Amino acid sequence: MKAGQNQIMKHRFQVLDIFRGIFASMVVLFHVSPFADTPLLNNNFVDNSDMFVDFFFVLSGFVITYSYPSMATGAEFGTFIKKRLLRIYPLHVILLICFLLIENIKLYFASYIHINQPFNESNNVLTFFTSLFLLNSVKIPSVHDVSWNIPSWSISAEMVSYLLFGTVLVTLFKSKLQNIKYGLFALLPILSIFSIASITGRYEINYSFDYGFLRGILGFFTGSVCYYVFKHFYPFLSTVKTGIFSFFEILALLTLATMIYYGSVLKGIGFVYEFIFFLAILVFSFERGILSHFLKKSVLLKNIGTYSYSIYMTHTLLLSLFNVVFIRLFKLPPSAYVYLVFLNYYLIYLVSRWTYNNIEMRFNKGIKPVHFGRKKVISKIS
């Protein structure tokens, strides 16, 4: 058992990082599709790729639970939150300021040219501050839609999950109830989905600016339970033949793709996506199958995984600017996105590489690995 646990300690989950990059890219295509008129982007799979956001939540819960098995004090909780803020907040606030500048530029030019209404019902003073303080996944009166940097609602949901996760760990430690940790983690997703159902009357989870925080909790703690299964069965499953893992990797990916394609039907019971992401993360966390083998060979996919947070956070700003230049100024038809999408994505990739190196890593330099519960935090994915 100890040997298996030591192997887990050294696991870097490179394939899961790659999938995070691939699925962040699918969210990019989801947001490109309204501008486009081409089967390449206007199809069932892309139309339902917004559900990949839930993969991020489940993966986050998996990795954070791996990295932080316990927290004993308020000081450790504070260190944890500080690290998470340094990881997600600098890029978020810089992009929010960029959007604010754009709205002011639009306001200036509105008197001279036809331009989208600046500071509209979504982008206003209230929503600026809800975004600034990462409250833009919580139901707040007078807020009726996503705003500013649209994907940032999910960062708010992540922060709510981090706060709840840390609070639970410290409370369990102080109450000497650590043996029920995973039982409580399993209860939280159930409470989340029933909370959504009792509030909305439906079992959909495709919420963002209003009940996105519940969606985040649902996914995050599903990931926590996924890590428990991984940890518990690792000594046995790590000895299973590669061919068996290859079969389950292919099966998991085909099932996932099918469920995304038929999202118009399955979104009504959206929590089923938590199950498929749970299974996919569990299978690919071992990195034993043929798909994992080929994915890890690709330098480009590894880079996309590394830059995934920047890709996810910068893409709506860059899509808007790209659309202004090529569709409005150059007057290319929406069908031109059959090739423009590649140029657009390459631009996003280049900008994301820069923001990763100069914003994300700048604020994460000098943070030394810490010990929580006598376990060194060495996870590559953060």
Side-chain angles (χ1 to χ4, degrees):
M1 180 67 72
K2 289 183 179 179
Q5 289 173 343
N6 287 338
Q7 286 177 303
I8 294 175
M9 290 276 291
K10 297 176 182 178
H11 211 111
R12 300 185 71 185
F13 305 116
Q14 292 180 0
V15 174
L16 297 182
D17 205 23
I18 288 171
F19 272 117
R20 184 171 61 177
I22 293 171
F23 295 158
S25 301
M26 289 307 306
V27 175
V28 172
L29 299 184
F30 170 79
H31 285 131
V32 174
S33 62
F35 300 127
D37 182 16
T38 167
L40 179 66
L41 296 170
N42 305 113
N43 56 68
N44 285 350
F45 192 80
V46 174
D47 288 346
N48 296 308
S49 289
D50 55 329
M51 296 309 296
F52 282 122
V53 173
D54 295 281
F55 175 88
F56 307 148
F57 292 142
V58 179
L59 179 58
S60 178
F62 179 93
V63 173
I64 294 297
T65 305
Y66 159 74
S67 299
Y68 299 90
S70 69
M71 291 183 208
T73 66
E76 289 183 350
F77 177 60
T79 300
F80 166 69
I81 294 300
K82 178 183 177 182
K83 287 171 66 69
R84 302 323 303 160
L85 279 172
L86 286 173
R87 177 68 183 91
I88 67 174
Y89 197 71
L91 183 59
H92 163 68
V93 75
I94 288 171
L95 286 168
L96 181 60
I97 292 170
C98 288
F99 275 94
L100 179 63
L101 291 173
I102 288 174
E103 290 299 302
N104 279 282
I105 292 171
K106 287 165 60 177
L107 183 64
Y108 175 80
F109 283 103
S111 302
Y112 302 98
I113 58 174
H114 176 69
I115 197 168
N116 289 341
Q117 180 65 35
F119 295 104
N120 54 33
E121 184 180 355
S122 297
N123 295 349
N124 54 50
V125 174
L126 174 60
T127 57
F128 178 84
F129 283 103
T130 57
S131 292
L132 181 65
F133 295 113
L134 291 177
L135 296 172
N136 49 324
S137 68
V138 180
K139 179 68 174 176
I140 293 176
S142 301
V143 176
H144 305 293
D145 203 351
V146 287
S147 58
W148 301 97
N149 190 16
I150 292 173
S152 68
W153 73 264
S154 63
I155 307 307
S156 165
E158 284 274 8
M159 183 53 62
V160 172
S161 297
Y162 297 153
L163 290 168
L164 181 57
F165 175 80
T167 300
V168 168
L169 287 188
V170 173
T171 301
L172 290 177
F173 187 89
K174 291 184 178 295
S175 304
K176 298 182 180 180
L177 294 173
Q178 289 174 292
N179 59 321
I180 69 167
K181 177 175 69 173
Y182 287 108
L184 184 55
F185 285 170
L187 180 62
L188 288 170
I190 297 171
L191 291 176
S192 297
I193 190 62
F194 277 107
S195 295
I196 291 173
S198 64
I199 293 169
T200 66
R202 296 177 294 181
Y203 284 94
E204 294 180 11
I205 63 169
N206 203 19
Y207 297 99
S208 52
F209 68 92
D210 42 11
Y211 306 114
F213 75 101
L214 289 172
R215 180 181 179 182
I217 291 171
L218 169 62
F220 185 94
F221 288 98
T222 298
S224 294
V225 176
C226 184
Y227 172 69
Y228 169 76
V229 176
F230 171 79
K231 176 185 175 182
H232 186 75
F233 290 102
Y234 188 89
F236 166 70
L237 291 178
S238 61
T239 64
V240 173
K241 292 182 180 180
T242 300
I244 295 176
F245 267 103
S246 295
F247 170 77
F248 281 107
E249 285 187 355
I250 294 170
L251 180 63
L253 202 58
L254 288 175
T255 304
L256 191 156
T258 301
M259 291 181 68
I260 295 295
Y261 185 85
Y262 289 103
S264 58
V265 176
L266 294 173
K267 283 181 180 179
I269 47 171
F271 58 86
V272 299
Y273 288 95
E274 310 304 312
F275 291 113
I276 185 55
F277 292 143
F278 177 106
L279 293 174
I281 288 170
L282 181 61
V283 169
F284 283 99
S285 62
F286 289 88
E287 303 182 333
R288 297 279 314 284
I290 190 170
L291 294 183
S292 291
H293 174 73
F294 284 112
L295 287 171
K296 289 197 292 185
K297 279 191 169 185
S298 172
V299 175
L300 175 61
L301 289 179
K302 286 180 180 178
N303 287 341
I304 290 173
T306 299
Y307 308 146
S308 59
Y309 179 61
S310 279
I311 289 171
Y312 181 71
M313 290 296 288
T314 63
H315 78 270
T316 51
L317 174 63
L318 296 173
L319 288 180
S320 298
L321 296 176
F322 193 92
N323 193 54
V324 167
V325 171
F326 285 93
I327 303 300
R328 294 196 178 186
L329 294 182
F330 292 173
K331 301 198 180 296
L332 295 176
S335 59
Y337 266 105
V338 69
Y339 57 86
L340 286 179
V341 63
F342 298 102
L343 178 61
N344 199 340
Y345 184 82
Y346 184 59
L347 171 66
I348 293 168
Y349 177 85
L350 292 179
V351 172
S352 296
R353 182 173 64 185
W354 186 91
T355 56
Y356 172 81
N357 289 315
N358 295 281
I359 299 176
E360 289 188 58
M361 289 301 98
R362 178 182 176 185
F363 287 92
N364 282 271
K365 285 180 179 178
I367 299 179
K368 298 179 180 179
V370 296
H371 292 78
F372 290 103
R374 299 181 181 177
K375 179 180 178 182
K376 190 175 182 180
V377 178
I378 57 174
S379 174
K380 180 177 182 290
I381 305 178
S382 55

